[in-house]
C-alpha cells in the first residue's frame, strides 16, 4: 500500500468491482457509483473535517470514500448494505483506502425495513451528511413494512408526508434520507428523473418536499 499511489489503487479496485459485477450478471451501479457523479455530489456538499457521513445503501462504499477524501479523511463513516457480498466489498474498499474504522452494516431486510444505525431512543441516527445512490424504482421497498395511508406503522416516522407507491420506492429512500439528517445536515441523492413528474402519491410527497425548504437544488444528468 505504501508503494502504490492512492488514485491508482482506487482505480484498480473500481475496475475489479466492475468486472465482478459484469461476471455476476449485475449492473455495475449495484456496486459503485460513477466517479465523476460522486465528485459532483462532493463538490455540492463541501464536507468539513470532524463531521459524520452516512450512506443508507452504500454498495461498495465509493460514495462514502470520495466524500471523506475531500474532507481530508477526518470524518466518521457509516453505511448499510443489504447484500452481504457487496458489504464485504465495501469493507475491503475502506481498508484499502485507509479508513479501517468505517462502520459498514450488512444483511437483514435492508435499510427501510431494519435500519441498523439508531440512537439511544431507538430512532434513526442523524448525520452531518447523507449520500445515497439507492436502487432505482425499487419494487420491493415495502416488503416487511406495515404502513397505513398516513404513514402510520413506521416507528421511525419517515412517511408523514405520504406513503410512496409500492412499485416505486424512490421517495421511500429519499424520506429515509431526510429523517437521517441533522438539523444543519446536508444530503445528496441520485434518483431517476421520474421523481420529478410522476403523479399520485409521489406528487403529494413532492409538494411537501418543496414546501419544506429541504430541497436546495436539482441537477439533471444524461
Amino acid at each position: 500500500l505504501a508503494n502504490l499511489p492512492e488514485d491508482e489503487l482506487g482505480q484498480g479496485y473500481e475496475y475489479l468491482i466492475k468486472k465482478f459485477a459484469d461476471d455476476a450478471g449485475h449492473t455495475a451501479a449495484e456496486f459503485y457509483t460513477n466517479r465523476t457523479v460522486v465528485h459532483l455530489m462532493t463538490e455540492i456538499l463541501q464536507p468539513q473535517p470532524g463531521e459524520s457521513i452516512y450512506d443508507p445503501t452504500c454498495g461498495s462504499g465509493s460514495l462514502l470514500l470520495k466524500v471523506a477524501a475531500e474532507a481530508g479523511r477526518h470524518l466518521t463513516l457509516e453505511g448499510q448494505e443489504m447484500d452481504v457480498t457487496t458489504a464485504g466489498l465495501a469493507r475491503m474498499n475502506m481498508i484499502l483506502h485507509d479508513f479501517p474504522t468505517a462502520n459498514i452494516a450488512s444483511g437483514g431486510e435492508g435499510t427501510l425495513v431494519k435500519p441498523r444505525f439508531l440512537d439511544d431512543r431507538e430512532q434513526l441516527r442523524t448525520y452531518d451528511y447523507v449520500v445515497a445512490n439507492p436502487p432505482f424504482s425499487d419494487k420491493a421497498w415495502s416488503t416487511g413494512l406495515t404502513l397505513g395511508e398516513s404513514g402510520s406503522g413506521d416507528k421511525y416516522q419517515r412517511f408523514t408526508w405520504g406513503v410512496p407507491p409500492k412499485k416505486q420506492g424512490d421517495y421511500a429512500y429519499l424520506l429515509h434520507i431526510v429523517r437521517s439528517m441533522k438539523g444543519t445536515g446536508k444530503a445528496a441523492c441520485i434518483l431517476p428523473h421520474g421523481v420529478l413528474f410522476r403523479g399520485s402519491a409521489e406528487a403529494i410527497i413532492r409538494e411537501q418536499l418543496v414546501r419544506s425548504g429541504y430541497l436546495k437544488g436539482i441537477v439533471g444528468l444524461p
Side-chain angles (χ1 to χ4, degrees), residues 121-195:
R121 299 175 293 114
E122 291 298 305
Q123 291 297 305
L124 295 180
R125 191 177 300 172
T126 56
Y127 300 86
D128 298 298
Y129 305 99
V130 184
V131 292
N133 182 12
F136 285 4
S137 301
D138 184 1
K139 293 177 172 53
W141 73 269
S142 62
T143 303
L145 288 173
T146 303
L147 300 173
E149 291 185 4
S150 61
S152 60
D154 177 44
K155 64 180 182 180
Y156 307 113
Q157 303 174 350
R158 293 170 291 187
F159 305 112
T160 55
W161 290 346
V163 179
K166 287 188 176 181
K167 293 186 177 180
Q168 291 166 327
D170 302 306
Y171 274 101
Y173 289 101
L174 184 57
L175 292 174
H176 178 89
I177 289 168
V178 170
R179 290 291 296 173
S180 299
M181 294 165 55
K182 289 182 178 180
T184 56
K186 298 179 181 180
C189 180
I190 303 172
L191 295 171
H193 280 115
V195 300

Side-chain angles (χ1 to χ4, degrees), residues 77-99:
L77 276 60
E78 293 187 334
Q80 184 167 344
E81 170 57 44
M82 184 169 65
D83 185 84
V84 176
T85 301
T86 307
L89 292 175
R91 292 191 184 98
M92 284 193 291
N93 212 1
M94 298 298 161
I95 293 170
L96 288 172
H97 288 81
D98 199 25
F99 286 96

Side-chain angles (χ1 to χ4, degrees), residues 64 148 197:
L64 284 172
F197 56 79

Side-chain angles (χ1 to χ4, degrees), residues 5-222:
E6 180 186 327
D7 57 340
E8 293 183 15
L9 180 65
Q11 290 176 21
Y13 190 72
E14 187 171 290
Y15 170 80
L16 291 175
I17 291 175
K18 186 178 187 306
K19 294 296 290 184
F20 177 88
D22 292 343
D23 291 343
H26 301 288
T27 60
E30 183 175 342
F31 298 93
Y32 75 98
T33 304
N34 180 283
R35 296 184 73 181
T36 54
V37 177
V38 175
H39 180 72
L40 175 61
M41 295 170 72
T42 305
E43 287 292 297
I44 292 171
L45 290 177
Q46 292 292 304
Q48 300 299 314
E51 298 185 314
S52 58
I53 179 170
Y54 166 64
D55 186 341
T57 56
C58 70
S60 65
S62 61
L63 261 173
L64 284 172
L65 286 170
K66 182 63 177 175
V67 177
E70 291 287 336
R73 301 187 166 277
H74 301 292
L75 280 176
T76 300
L77 276 60
E78 293 187 334
Q80 184 167 344
E81 170 57 44
M82 184 169 65
D83 185 84
V84 176
T85 301
T86 307
L89 292 175
R91 292 191 184 98
M92 284 193 291
N93 212 1
M94 298 298 161
I95 293 170
L96 288 172
H97 288 81
D98 199 25
F99 286 96
T101 61
N103 191 359
I104 306 296
S106 62
E109 299 90 341
T111 295
L112 295 179
V113 178
K114 191 174 182 179
R116 300 286 294 276
F117 297 103
L118 305 176
D119 61 19
D120 296 337
R121 299 175 293 114
E122 291 298 305
Q123 291 297 305
L124 295 180
R125 191 177 300 172
T126 56
Y127 300 86
D128 298 298
Y129 305 99
V130 184
V131 292
N133 182 12
F136 285 4
S137 301
D138 184 1
K139 293 177 172 53
W141 73 269
S142 62
T143 303
L145 288 173
T146 303
L147 300 173
E149 291 185 4
S150 61
S152 60
D154 177 44
K155 64 180 182 180
Y156 307 113
Q157 303 174 350
R158 293 170 291 187
F159 305 112
T160 55
W161 290 346
V163 179
K166 287 188 176 181
K167 293 186 177 180
Q168 291 166 327
D170 302 306
Y171 274 101
Y173 289 101
L174 184 57
L175 292 174
H176 178 89
I177 289 168
V178 170
R179 290 291 296 173
S180 299
M181 294 165 55
K182 289 182 178 180
T184 56
K186 298 179 181 180
C189 180
I190 303 172
L191 295 171
H193 280 115
V195 300
L196 300 178
F197 56 79
R198 289 193 298 244
S200 187
E202 290 190 320
I204 296 172
I205 298 172
R206 185 166 57 244
E207 180 178 357
Q208 295 293 318
L209 176 65
V210 172
R211 292 183 181 278
S212 71
Y214 280 100
L215 188 63
K216 297 302 180 183
I218 297 168
V219 180
L221 298 174

